[in-house]
Amino acid sequence: MAMVLGKTIHLHNTSFQELLSNRRWLRHELAHVQQFRQLGFFLFLWKYTIESFRHGYFHNRFEIEARAAESDESLDNFVFQPSNKQLQRSSA
């Protein structure tokens, strides 16, 4: 599972390597990073929450955008590579 807050993709029960090896999943999460960047941290969270209440997760416009981004190869250039220290910390 992954959840984006701002410019950070938080992982649960998965590894960074798993996320990187699944390009569609990575692009989906990177789309959320871009959404945060476009709207700002609190405005994005507010709008995302309202969308989820009104339309549900699957029909939330931000999720629709993120699913569409899964095939957008331009997002492949938007990947941050963590340092060895960060990789060690995430596997602990």
Side-chain angles (χ1 to χ4, degrees):
M1 181 179 114
M3 180 178 154
V4 174
L5 287 173
K7 58 184 178 179
T8 304
I9 302 171
H10 298 273
L11 301 176
H12 180 70
N13 287 337
T14 192
S15 69
F16 180 73
Q17 288 76 20
E18 285 178 278
L19 177 66
L20 277 184
S21 69
N22 186 331
R23 303 311 282 177
R24 292 184 65 83
W25 182 22
L26 177 59
R27 291 173 189 152
H28 180 105
E29 301 309 329
L30 290 173
H32 290 311
V33 171
Q34 288 184 326
Q35 292 165 342
F36 267 103
R37 181 183 280 176
Q38 290 166 351
L39 293 173
F41 190 88
F42 293 108
L43 183 58
F44 174 75
L45 286 177
W46 175 252
K47 288 188 173 204
Y48 186 97
T49 301
I50 296 301
E51 277 286 314
S52 292
F53 279 128
R54 288 184 179 161
H55 306 289
Y57 172 82
F58 191 78
H59 297 290
N60 177 321
R61 72 179 176 100
F62 299 107
E63 289 301 329
I64 292 169
E65 284 178 18
R67 284 192 301 275
E70 292 173 5
S71 59
D72 182 356
E73 292 180 5
S74 72
L75 288 171
D76 292 349
N77 299 321
F78 194 65
V79 177
F80 162 76
Q81 294 291 331
S83 68
N84 286 336
K85 184 178 179 180
Q86 290 169 314
L87 283 173
Q88 290 170 352
R89 197 173 34 188
S90 71
S91 64

